[in-house]
Amino acid sequence: MAQATVCSRWDHSVGLDDLGLSQEGDVVIGAVFPIHNLSPAPDLSFSQHPDLQSCVNFQEEPLRWVHALVFAVDEINRNPFLLPGVRLGYRVLDSCGQHPWSLRGALALVSGGNLRSWPSSDSHVPLVIGDASSTQAIILARTLEPLSVPVISYQASCGCLSDRLEFPNFFRTIPSDVYQALTMARLTWLLGWTWVGAVAADNDYGRQAIQVFEAAVRGTGVCLAFFETINRANLVRDVERAADTVQASTARVILVFLWYTDIGALLLELGRRNVTDRQFLASEAWSTSGQLRRNPALFNVSRGVVGVAIRSAPMPGFEAHLRSLHPSRRPGDVLLKELWETKFGCSPGAAHAHDTSLLPSPLPPTPSESLPHPPPPTSSSPRPRLASCSGAETLEVVQSPFTDTSQLRVTYNVYLAVYAAAHALHSLLSCPQRDSPTWGTSFTCSPPHNISPAELLQHLNQVNFTTPLGEPFYFRGADVPAVYDLVNWQATPQGLLKLVTIGRVEGSNILIDQSAIQWNAGSNMVPVSVCSDRCPPGTRVARKKGEPVCCFDCIPCTEGEVSNTTGSLQCDHCPLEFWSNGNRTACIPRQLEFLSFNDTMGVTLTTVAVCGTVATAAVFMLFVYHRHTPLVRANNSDLSFLLLLSLKLCFLCSLVFIGRPSVWACRIRQAAFGVIFVLCLSCLLVKTIVVLAAFRSARPGAGQLMRWFGPVQQRGSVFLCTSVQVRVIICAVWLSISPPLPYRDLGLKGSKVILECEVGSVVGFSLVLGYIGLLASLCLLLAFLARKLPDTFNEAKFITFSMLIFCAVWISFVPAYVSSPGKYADAVEIFAILASSFGLLFCLFAPKCFIILLRPERNTKKHMMSN
């Protein structure tokens, strides 16, 4: 019969098996914990086979995690309803926080390990709990996936591990970093931090967390000022580079995804440089680290840290379990022995000083082995011999990280991982589907002595139970529902930093008490971390070319636009009848603008119009008083009086253009303007014709001309020019079809609404002006023809001058009126009316008033006949 081939580990490196913990059972679960976190520098002489030396830097918190597993197993073994009749055991190894140790430990666990304290060489574990680091968990999951061995991590939070196609055998009792990064993104937005730096581990844990953070803040105005990575293999160099970046950056908030040992080195370097004004936003990997909080060298630089922490939960009876531990009760527990040496500075006893029960028992190589054996391992420097303990040492009154149960976070995750494994084993071993017709299609069952990891993996995917605290527990793929605590490092009067819970995160909901936060400066004021201050109301954000989106300029809104929120990306246009206020923060109703009697321009024009009216009235009274004098009678006193009356109405009609436009005011002003000016020009035209007729009648054969153009005919001519057939028809059609109406001109940019009279029909307005222009042209032409007649009775010369002024004014009026906005158009029309009226008044009546008042001797029939 052929001899069976037995495989065994051929290396004899110390540090893996000599620092472990085990308990036999019907079913044994494996676990790896980073009980030590530093390994000696590797031997690079290449003169011997590489091996792993003993780890150093013993850590109390991971030892508490180990005993959370021990405590959970003891609880399960006492529970008659969970795994009844099956005793659960465990095997724990130290991963030293390094992936070679973690991988070799896991392989030793699933292969049986050849450890002397374990029952047999084929006593393998069907499940591994661990490791703490995401990188190590990825290595374990990928390595054990071909064997279908489930891996349950208590602290590996990398989002990449949620991929069930790549990691079908991985589970964890800590939420994915995706939720943690999303929570940090919401915190930065909630606290108004738009310019943050980031320092992360140079691995999947750090890089993917920053990727999720950047994706979450994209489009929110939050951006990264810098992103530095730290690799533990190049810790000193990377820490110095990251410290340089943090010190030079204007970002006051630093997002950190690092293991607590790595961030400790960075904080020490920043403290050495006196960079103490940065606010750190901590990931769960270091936000609750007691080792960092107890380090006095980090007090100034780490005060006020705000972090996302694994949720804390009580574990009734756990503190009593820890404080009851004693080497005398657990003589094979080398980890407890090292804790005793660390805490009390003595060795628990010779019986335990060199306990070798967990040392490997190497097997001799078989003839078929071709691999050479390595030389004996190089022994590490022996630790100094300690005095033996008295036996009275106890943990009952010791205050240390190991016995601190006030914040059970990772500890509780380990506890949940053990219970998840136990419930999966319970489902597998009880196998309620055995008698079902479909048994064997979805689940398979195994006996305790021969559990298949692949079968256990199926049941682990379906785990759903209630924890001892009464909370539901289940896996969604590899993950558990996201629940976090928000914590704050606050200074105490004793110069220490205490951990204070300030909020809670459940899914996407954040509950935080901002008033309870103590920030890095020791105040309750939220620190400011922005590349550019948020644009105040009345301005908008203007991106800087080539700069991140949170670096910008603030541009004031233009007139007619407002922004009433801080950090507005654009200014909004005001509604048509509104305009922006002086600060561009609100839309206010536009002021109505029209030519009013209170306006300076309105007062001036009113004064001029009244003066013209008074002057005309004075001339009228003067002519009435001297109506029997030759000068007044010689120039057709009836037409003179009618002309003076029309001029007086011209001055008065200008006042209709002043004041708030109304429906009747708009209709009256244009109609009155047209009728009165036609009346005025009609009088001038008739007077000109009278002058021509008077001198024509002096010629032979023309004596009957004045008889046919006497006073009655003259008044009739005036009436004819302003008759219904001509003037009234134009006005009536214009006012009935498209009359002038009040109009709000909103087209002009400004804070005012121009209230004016819209002409309505441009054709009607043009006909009015055209008819006035026709009369003025005829009058000017006839007066020009009569300018050389004898000037004793001749008014043609004065009519010519007045018509020249009249035409010049109204020819200038057209372009000025068209180009003038709002009330200035009315002012231009009033000015034209007043200017032309004064021109007629002074040119026609000033010479006569001069003779009547200052040269009365010339106002005689004899004088006039002599000329």
Side-chain angles (χ1 to χ4, degrees):
M1 188 174 188
Q3 183 180 3
T5 301
V6 178
C7 297
S8 64
R9 290 187 296 114
W10 52 264
D11 62 313
H12 298 273
S13 302
V14 297
L16 174 65
D17 307 329
D18 57 344
L19 287 179
L21 190 64
S22 69
Q23 174 179 294
E24 295 183 15
D26 300 322
V27 180
V28 179
I29 60 174
V32 287
F33 293 95
I35 303 168
H36 299 78
N37 67 356
L38 291 176
S39 59
D43 182 7
L44 301 179
S45 64
F46 304 103
S47 59
Q48 60 184 15
H49 285 277
D51 53 19
L52 300 179
Q53 304 298 321
S54 298
C55 286
V56 294
N57 195 16
F58 175 75
Q59 300 182 101
E60 296 184 36
E61 286 188 63
L63 182 59
R64 187 177 69 226
W65 305 346
V66 172
H67 279 275
L69 180 145
V70 174
F71 177 73
V73 169
D74 290 345
E75 274 191 348
I76 293 167
N77 287 335
R78 294 193 302 268
N79 190 337
F81 304 105
L82 184 58
L83 290 174
V86 177
R87 180 173 175 77
L88 193 61
Y90 53 82
R91 293 172 187 163
V92 178
L93 291 178
D94 185 5
S95 70
C96 198
Q98 301 288 332
H99 59 269
W101 293 79
S102 178
L103 179 59
R104 195 176 72 162
L107 291 175
L109 290 171
V110 300
S111 65
N114 288 337
L115 298 181
R116 294 177 182 174
S117 63
W118 297 359
S120 62
S121 61
D122 62 348
S123 178
H124 61 273
V125 300
L127 173 145
V128 175
I129 295 177
D131 198 352
S133 164
S134 293
T135 300
Q136 284 139 235
I138 291 171
I139 294 173
L140 293 187
R142 283 178 173 164
T143 304
L144 300 181
E145 191 269 331
L147 305 176
S148 298
V149 176
V151 176
I152 306 178
S153 178
Y154 45 86
Q155 203 176 9
S157 54
C158 176
C160 57
L161 288 164
S162 298
D163 187 347
R164 299 309 281 165
L165 294 178
E166 189 172 358
F167 305 104
N169 63 322
F170 179 80
F171 302 87
R172 55 184 164 197
T173 55
I174 183 175
S176 166
D177 276 336
V178 170
Y179 302 107
Q180 180 181 201
L182 291 175
T183 297
M184 290 189 171
R186 294 187 187 102
L187 280 176
T188 57
W189 180 83
L190 180 65
L191 298 172
W193 296 330
T194 60
W195 187 236
V196 298
V199 181
D202 190 13
N203 53 29
D204 292 332
Y205 168 75
R207 291 188 177 275
Q208 293 199 13
I210 298 302
Q211 287 178 6
V212 173
F213 177 86
E214 286 188 297
V217 301
R218 189 173 295 121
T220 64
V222 179
C223 48
L224 286 181
F226 60 85
F227 174 36
E228 291 289 343
T229 59
I230 292 180
N231 192 319
R232 191 173 297 176
N234 304 306
L235 187 62
V236 175
R237 184 191 65 189
D238 288 355
V239 162
E240 288 185 354
R241 186 189 69 249
D244 290 338
T245 303
V246 170
Q247 187 175 14
S249 176
T250 57
R252 288 297 177 265
V253 174
I254 313 298
L255 179 69
V256 181
F257 278 89
L258 289 174
W259 190 247
Y260 71 94
T261 53
D262 302 334
I263 184 60
L266 177 60
L267 293 176
L268 282 173
E269 179 64 19
L270 292 175
R272 187 184 66 81
R273 302 184 183 197
N274 198 30
V275 181
T276 60
D277 60 343
R278 300 303 192 269
Q279 176 65 50
F280 291 96
L281 193 56
S283 66
E284 42 74 31
W286 67 279
S287 62
T288 58
S289 172
Q291 182 176 334
L292 295 177
R293 286 184 286 111
R294 287 188 296 271
N295 190 339
L298 304 180
F299 179 83
N300 290 329
V301 70
S302 62
R303 178 175 57 179
V305 165
V306 172
V308 178
I310 303 167
R311 71 92 173 259
S312 175
M315 292 170 54
F318 184 57
E319 183 177 6
H321 166 81
L322 295 178
R323 294 193 180 278
S324 66
L325 294 174
H326 198 278
S328 62
R329 302 188 189 98
R330 305 176 65 90
D333 192 339
V334 293
L335 299 177
L336 188 59
K337 172 182 176 292
E338 188 167 2
L339 173 66
W340 232 251
E341 293 175 348
T342 302
K343 298 306 297 181
F344 302 110
C346 63
S347 176
H352 311 297
H354 301 88
D355 193 306
T356 59
S357 61
L358 296 177
L359 290 177
S361 175
L363 296 176
T366 63
S368 61
E369 282 184 304
S370 59
L371 290 174
H373 284 272
T378 303
S379 61
S380 57
S381 301
R383 289 182 296 181
R385 184 178 296 275
L386 299 174
S388 298
C389 295
S390 64
E393 295 82 6
T394 177
L395 296 176
E396 291 290 342
V397 294
V398 171
Q399 299 298 326
S400 70
F402 179 72
T403 58
D404 182 9
T405 59
S406 61
Q407 302 279 344
L408 298 178
R409 302 181 187 277
V410 178
T411 306
Y412 187 67
N413 285 350
V414 174
Y415 182 77
L416 290 177
V418 176
Y419 265 91
H423 278 274
L425 287 167
H426 181 86
S427 174
L428 175 63
L429 296 176
S430 59
C431 206
Q433 295 89 358
R434 282 187 189 275
D435 300 326
S436 172
T438 60
W439 179 76
T441 60
S442 58
F443 290 95
T444 55
C445 304
S446 302
H449 64 276
N450 188 25
I451 292 178
S452 168
E455 296 171 3
L456 180 59
L457 181 60
Q458 294 181 50
H459 288 267
L460 197 58
N461 275 302
Q462 303 298 323
V463 160
N464 192 333
F465 64 93
T466 301
T467 69
L469 297 180
E471 299 175 342
F473 181 91
Y474 55 91
F475 288 115
R476 290 190 296 198
D479 300 320
V480 292
V483 178
Y484 293 103
D485 287 341
L486 298 178
V487 297
N488 182 217
W489 294 12
Q490 298 186 2
T492 64
Q494 293 76 27
L496 302 175
L497 292 174
K498 66 177 180 179
L499 191 68
V500 178
T501 301
I502 56 171
R504 188 174 179 85
V505 179
E506 295 182 1
S508 60
N509 297 322
I510 297 179
L511 303 175
I512 183 171
D513 183 7
Q514 294 191 37
S515 63
I517 302 176
Q518 184 183 98
W519 301 102
N520 65 314
S523 69
N524 293 327
M525 298 294 295
V526 179
V528 177
S529 184
V530 296
C531 179
S532 301
D533 290 330
R534 298 186 70 187
C535 292
T539 62
R540 65 173 178 86
V541 172
R543 306 294 186 199
K544 291 183 178 179
K545 187 176 181 180
E547 296 286 339
V549 295
C550 53
C551 299
F552 48 81
D553 293 323
C554 296
I555 305 298
C557 295
T558 58
E559 290 187 351
E561 295 183 340
V562 297
S563 65
N564 54 11
T565 58
T566 302
S568 178
L569 297 178
Q570 63 182 12
C571 298
D572 299 321
H573 289 281
C574 290
L576 283 178
E577 295 197 7
F578 291 81
W579 198 250
S580 56
N581 61 2
N583 296 327
R584 310 287 195 271
T585 57
C587 292
I588 57 176
R590 292 189 183 187
Q591 296 178 356
L592 289 177
E593 183 181 71
F594 54 88
L595 188 59
S596 69
F597 289 100
N598 297 324
D599 194 302
T600 302
M601 189 182 300
V603 171
T604 303
L605 293 176
T606 301
T607 303
V608 173
V610 171
C611 292
T613 303
V614 172
T616 305
V619 172
F620 186 86
M621 295 301 296
L622 181 64
F623 271 51
V624 170
Y625 184 77
H626 295 278
R627 63 184 179 278
H628 300 296
T629 60
L631 184 62
V632 175
R633 295 183 62 185
N635 289 283
N636 196 330
S637 60
D638 291 340
L639 289 179
S640 296
F641 289 133
L642 188 58
L643 179 59
L644 286 171
L645 178 61
S646 64
L647 285 175
K648 184 176 181 180
L649 292 176
C650 284
F651 285 115
L652 291 177
C653 83
S654 65
L655 299 179
V656 182
F657 290 83
I658 304 175
R660 184 186 181 99
S662 63
V663 175
W664 288 106
C666 290
R667 294 186 178 187
I668 291 173
R669 64 169 57 174
Q670 297 297 349
F673 158 71
V675 172
I676 293 171
F677 262 82
V678 166
L679 176 61
C680 181
L681 292 175
S682 298
C683 293
L684 284 176
L685 179 61
V686 172
K687 285 178 73 67
T688 306
I689 294 174
V690 168
V691 172
L692 286 174
F695 283 96
R696 291 289 181 183
S697 64
R699 295 180 180 181
Q704 301 298 320
L705 183 60
M706 286 303 297
R707 180 181 303 175
W708 293 104
F709 201 68
V712 176
Q713 289 79 9
Q714 295 171 18
R715 288 191 290 270
S717 299
V718 172
F719 176 76
L720 178 65
C721 291
T722 55
S723 65
V724 176
Q725 289 90 339
V726 182
R727 178 61 200 157
V728 175
I729 289 176
I730 296 174
C731 289
V733 173
W734 179 22
L735 294 179
S736 61
I737 295 178
S738 181
L741 293 172
Y743 169 69
R744 292 173 179 262
D745 186 1
L746 304 173
L748 295 175
K749 291 185 177 180
S751 60
K752 298 178 180 179
V753 175
I754 307 300
L755 187 59
E756 59 185 0
C757 286
E758 192 177 26
V759 296
S761 173
V762 177
V763 175
F765 185 61
S766 301
L767 288 175
V768 169
L769 293 180
Y771 185 65
I772 293 175
L774 176 62
L775 293 179
S777 300
L778 287 175
C779 188
L780 176 62
L781 178 61
L782 295 177
F784 180 78
L785 294 175
R787 70 189 186 282
K788 293 184 179 181
L789 297 176
D791 57 1
T792 302
F793 298 94
N794 188 9
E795 288 184 298
K797 181 168 55 177
F798 302 119
I799 293 174
T800 301
F801 287 128
S802 65
M803 284 297 99
L804 288 174
I805 295 174
F806 184 90
C807 292
V809 169
W810 286 100
I811 290 173
S812 311
F813 160 77
V814 174
Y817 181 83
V818 171
S819 61
S820 298
K823 65 179 183 181
Y824 298 101
D826 292 335
V828 166
E829 189 167 358
I830 294 172
F831 175 80
I833 293 172
L834 295 177
S836 57
S837 299
F838 273 111
L840 294 175
L841 179 64
F842 282 102
C843 288
L844 294 175
F845 295 99
K848 298 175 182 179
C849 291
F850 176 78
I851 294 174
I852 293 172
L853 295 175
L854 300 179
R855 296 288 186 269
E857 68 278 3
R858 296 172 58 182
N859 189 12
T860 62
K861 186 175 182 179
K862 179 181 179 181
H863 178 75
M864 297 182 70
M865 293 301 293
S866 64
N867 290 328

